[in-house]
């Protein structure tokens, strides 16, 4: 039975960043990962099916984010600026616009006057319940579902206000070679220092007392350390105790369990479609749509799959479809092929191309239904009204022995991003290092 300073459960961005920070400080770690790969909700695939590496999970660096960009620089990994145009398709017409909500200025002004937090839908009903605002309410709900993968019936108005007041849409990047290059760098640093990053190691029980932890896995193995960092997705922590991948604590962590359930966790389905040509840039589509889409980055449509994006500024034949929030949850049990067909049908209606013709152009496709995956069970976190207090509880180590890390514990405008996960992992490792018993 190998003993290390710290056990980390979960080899996603938060867990590996925590491990990396501890190892750089001279500590020993054991990382347990339930999947047969590292990365968590980062999953870059490179195979013969697609012509270039594609991202099933996290894809963008949303802004000039210091932890992410500094780590890439340290690892010698480059990033590419993403320049694109926002297009919308409504009532059969294309329009270049990044104005997603009619009356947005009036709405945000009223929201900025709010003094006490409440679910966003409650705010809308209190301030914009008249029939004349029906379209605006729907647009806002769709925006929250699509961008934040959240349910506006319980999403915090304060948190969304903070996000919308700090948007940095001009600074977007992609990681050269995919996000997994960064993940591999973190894991390799740990392994090269003699530490284990173990795959197919499904943690089942955490037995703890002050400065002593034993983690048992479903295959009967046990791992011993002085501390443990729980770096699992929030959706898995919220799962029933008998669910696949769920862990139990002995003694129980009742206060932390309640806090975990007071933070929202969204749903998402991502659909990657590679065609034999960049058909949306063709003369035929330009004539049909009346728009030149050669610099289109994002396309928003009132359709079953409402969001698509390209690889702009590259003229790649890859289109990515995105469905978030409650609509994604409602489709989580659909077969992948049926979801792909929905995306083709949406593109058919938007671009006025027969579905059969689009199928004939399709050379590769992949559906990433993150909500249906046992070791994820959703997309990323969003705040409920109770979430700030819940985070305070979860950020406090239990007896300086049990620590939590993850993007859901980040408090700032980059919530739900890789930056949030990396920041949390770094912060929790520094908290562990301050512990004199380590």
């Amino acid at each position: 039975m190998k003993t290390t300073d710290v056990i980390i459960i979960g080899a996603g961005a938060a867990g590996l960043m925590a491990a990396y920070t501890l190892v750089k400080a001279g500590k020993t770690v054991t990382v347990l990962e339930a999947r047969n790969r590292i990365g968590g909700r980062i999953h870059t695939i490179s195979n013969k099916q697609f012509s270039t590496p594609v991202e099933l999970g996290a894809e963008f660096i949303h802004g000039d984010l210091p932890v992410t960009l500094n780590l890439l620089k340290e690892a010698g990994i480059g990033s590419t600026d993403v320049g694109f145009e926002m297009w919308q398709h409504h009532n059969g017409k294309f329009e270049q616009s990044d104005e997603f909500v009619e009356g947005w200025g009036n709405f945000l002004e009223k929201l900025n006057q709010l003094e006490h937090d409440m679910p966003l839908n409650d705010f809308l009903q209190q301030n914009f319940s008249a029939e004349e605002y029906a379209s605006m309410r729907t647009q806002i709900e769709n925006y929250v579902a699509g961008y934040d993968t959240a349910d506006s019936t319980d999403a915090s108005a304060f948190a969304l206000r903070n996000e919308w007041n700090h948007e940095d849409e001009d600074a977007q990047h992609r990681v050269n070679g995919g996000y997994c290059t960064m993940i591999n760098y973190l894991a390799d640093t740990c392994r090269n220092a003699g530490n284990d990053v173990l795959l197919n190691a499904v943690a089942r029980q955490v037995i703890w007392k002050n400065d002593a932890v034993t983690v048992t896995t479903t295959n009967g193995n046990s791992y011993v350390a002085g501390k443990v960092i729980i770096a699992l997705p929030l959706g898995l922590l919220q799962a029933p105790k008998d669910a696949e991948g769920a862990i139990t604590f002995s003694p129980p962590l009742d206060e932390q369990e309640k806090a975990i359930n007071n933070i929202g966790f969204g749903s998402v389905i991502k659909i990657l479609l590679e065609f034999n040509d960049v058909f949306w840039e063709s003369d035929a589509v330009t004539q049909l749509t009346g728009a030149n889409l050669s610099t289109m980055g994002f396309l928003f449509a009132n359709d079953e799959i409402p969001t698509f994006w390209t690889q702009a500024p590259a003229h790649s034949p890859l289109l990515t479809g995105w469905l978030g929030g409650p609509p994604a949850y409602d489709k989580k049990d659909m077969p992948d092929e049926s979801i792909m067909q929905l995306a083709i049908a949406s593109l058919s209606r938007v671009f006025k191309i027969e579905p059969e013709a689009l199928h004939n152009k399709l050379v590769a496709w992949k559906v990433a239904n993150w909500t249906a995956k046992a070791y994820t069970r959703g997309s990323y976190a969003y705040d409920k009204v109770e979430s700030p207090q819940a985070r305070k509880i979860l950020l406090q180590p239990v007896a300086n022995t049990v620590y939590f890390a993850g993007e859901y514990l980040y408090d700032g405008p980059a919530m739900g991003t890789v930056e949030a996960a990396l920041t949390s992992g770094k912060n929790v490792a520094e908290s562990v290092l301050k512990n004199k018993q380590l």
Side-chain angles (χ1 to χ4, degrees):
M1 185 182 299
K2 184 176 180 180
T3 300
T4 53
D5 293 323
V6 184
I7 295 169
I8 298 168
I9 304 177
L16 288 175
M17 187 63 172
Y20 170 84
T21 306
L22 290 166
V23 168
K24 295 282 277 188
K27 304 304 178 182
T28 59
V29 302
T30 298
V31 182
L32 305 178
E33 170 55 49
R35 299 176 181 85
N36 62 0
R37 62 173 183 83
I38 60 173
R41 282 160 282 171
I42 290 173
H43 190 191
T44 310
I45 58 172
S46 302
N47 56 30
K48 294 179 181 178
Q49 187 182 8
F50 289 93
S51 60
T52 58
V54 295
E55 302 280 23
L56 296 185
E59 182 169 344
F60 298 98
I61 303 172
H62 296 283
D64 292 326
L65 304 176
V67 178
T68 304
L69 294 177
N70 286 339
L71 181 60
L72 291 175
K73 182 178 180 181
E74 182 179 319
I77 300 169
S79 62
T80 301
D81 291 343
V82 177
F84 51 74
E85 293 176 349
M86 301 276 198
W87 284 82
Q88 298 193 44
H89 180 265
H90 299 301
N91 302 317
K93 295 182 179 180
F94 283 83
E95 177 188 7
Q96 184 184 344
S97 172
D98 56 4
E99 185 70 31
F100 300 108
V101 177
E102 58 187 62
W104 178 256
N106 181 32
F107 162 75
L108 195 57
E109 181 180 357
K110 194 76 173 177
L111 184 60
N112 283 330
Q113 296 170 4
L114 185 65
E115 295 182 357
H116 301 286
D117 199 8
M118 63 179 65
L120 184 66
N121 263 15
D122 290 0
F123 170 79
L124 288 171
Q125 290 302 320
Q126 288 185 19
N127 295 275
F128 299 98
S129 60
E131 181 61 28
E132 66 183 290
Y133 298 117
S135 177
M136 184 188 78
R137 291 195 303 272
T138 299
Q139 289 170 349
I140 290 173
E141 290 167 9
N142 291 343
Y143 184 32
V144 170
Y147 190 81
D148 297 279
T149 71
D151 186 342
S152 58
T153 63
D154 65 5
S156 158
F158 274 11
L160 290 168
R161 179 176 72 183
N162 182 50
E163 172 192 313
W164 293 332
N165 282 328
H166 293 88
E167 287 180 321
D168 187 11
E169 294 299 335
D170 292 332
Q172 304 286 326
H173 320 274
R174 283 189 176 96
V175 181
N176 295 348
Y179 256 121
C180 271
T181 57
M182 180 190 74
I183 288 296
N184 290 334
Y185 170 75
L186 294 173
D188 289 344
T189 301
C190 296
R191 291 185 178 120
N192 292 340
N195 299 279
D196 290 329
V197 179
L198 304 175
L199 304 180
N200 302 303
V202 185
R204 183 60 185 147
Q205 187 178 36
V206 176
I207 303 169
W208 66 275
K209 60 182 179 180
N210 286 15
D211 301 313
V213 175
T214 300
V215 177
T216 58
T217 58
T218 54
N219 60 8
N221 291 334
S222 295
Y223 303 89
V224 176
K227 317 288 179 187
V228 65
I229 296 173
I230 312 300
L232 296 173
L234 184 64
L236 188 52
L237 293 174
Q238 293 176 343
K241 287 184 170 56
D242 59 351
E244 181 181 357
I247 62 173
T248 59
F249 294 90
S250 179
L253 301 179
D254 294 334
E255 184 181 21
Q256 287 73 22
E257 183 176 324
K258 181 179 179 181
I260 282 165
N261 287 295
N262 280 334
I263 302 175
F265 198 61
S267 300
V268 75
I269 298 173
K270 190 175 183 181
I271 311 112
L272 294 104
L273 305 166
E274 183 169 331
F275 298 92
N276 59 10
D277 66 357
V278 191
F279 68 83
W280 55 94
E281 295 185 12
S282 68
D283 291 340
V285 167
T286 299
Q287 291 174 6
L288 280 170
T289 62
N292 183 339
L293 305 178
S294 61
T295 55
M296 178 180 70
F298 278 76
L299 173 64
F300 303 93
N302 292 328
D303 218 296
E304 199 142 22
I305 305 300
T307 303
F308 290 89
W309 64 77
T310 71
Q311 295 294 298
H315 296 276
S316 163
L318 180 70
L319 273 180
T320 300
W322 178 269
L323 180 67
Y329 185 85
D330 292 343
K331 293 177 174 61
K332 68 181 176 64
D333 297 322
M334 286 182 68
D336 286 355
E337 185 165 355
S338 298
I339 294 170
M340 180 272 286
Q341 298 285 4
L342 290 179
I344 290 293
S346 292
L347 289 172
S348 171
R349 286 185 286 269
V350 168
F351 289 106
K352 303 176 184 177
I353 300 174
E354 288 298 317
E356 184 178 357
L358 286 173
H359 274 291
N360 290 337
K361 287 179 170 293
L362 193 63
V363 297
W365 66 274
K366 184 76 174 177
V367 170
N369 186 349
W370 289 98
T371 309
K373 294 183 183 297
Y375 299 131
T376 309
R377 300 177 183 268
S379 54
Y380 41 84
Y382 65 90
D383 267 7
K384 300 180 182 180
V385 173
E386 305 87 358
S387 296
Q389 181 59 34
R391 261 196 306 275
K392 288 181 181 178
I393 293 170
L394 293 167
L395 286 170
Q396 291 297 316
V398 182
N400 288 326
T401 302
V402 181
Y403 297 74
F404 289 87
E407 49 85 14
Y408 65 96
L409 292 177
Y410 171 90
D411 185 13
M415 188 173 181
T417 65
V418 175
E419 174 80 1
L422 293 173
T423 301
S424 175
K426 181 174 180 287
N427 288 347
V428 77
E430 290 172 351
S431 177
V432 171
L433 289 169
K434 290 177 184 176
N435 190 319
K436 294 180 180 179
Q437 298 300 317
L438 184 64

